[in-house]
């Protein structure tokens, strides 16, 4: 076995009424109206070796195989207000 480390960083420009909240599960999440939003990884796959290939998570068996390999996942979420 070997270890694959994936680091994802995303920056979103969000409306001022979206806030950070502490969910009852103890997780910091984004609060949009009455909904709580968390971020996770979803592996995408394609059978095509083409620059315009369509990437999806439609292959549920493959997605499950990849996600079963995840041994650690941490999400850090923060909002920075622009002046």
């Amino acid at each position: 076995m070997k270890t694959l480390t994936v680091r994802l960083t995303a920056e979103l420009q969000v409306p001022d009424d979206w806030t950070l909240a502490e969910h009852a599960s103890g997780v910091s999440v984004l609060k949009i109206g009455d909904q709580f939003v968390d971020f996770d990884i979803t592996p995408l796959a394609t059978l095509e070796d083409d620059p315009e290939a369509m990437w999806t998570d439609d292959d549920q068996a493959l997605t499950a195989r990849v996600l079963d390999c995840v041994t650690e996942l941490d999400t850090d979420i923060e909002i920075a207000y622009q002046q």
Side-chain angles (χ1 to χ4, degrees), residues 22-81:
E22 184 81 13
H23 188 265
S25 64
V27 176
S28 288
V29 295
L30 187 60
K31 183 101 188 296
I32 304 173
D34 293 335
Q35 293 188 304
F36 298 97
V37 178
D38 193 12
F39 294 87
D40 203 344
I41 64 168
T42 301
L44 303 177
T46 188
L47 294 172
E48 302 171 28
D49 186 15
D50 182 306
E52 301 298 319
M54 179 67 78
W55 294 82
T56 72
D57 61 352
D58 290 343
D59 186 337
Q60 293 179 4
L62 179 60
T63 298
R65 277 183 62 199
V66 173
L67 292 178
D68 284 346
C69 294
V70 175
T71 58
E72 182 179 335
L73 180 63
D74 184 34
T75 303
D76 183 30
I77 184 171
E78 67 181 60
I79 290 182
Y81 293 94

Side-chain angles (χ1 to χ4, degrees), residues 14-20 30-33 79 81:
V14 300
D16 289 336
D17 61 334
W18 292 14
T19 61
L20 289 183
L30 187 60
K31 183 101 188 296
I32 304 173
I79 290 182
Y81 293 94

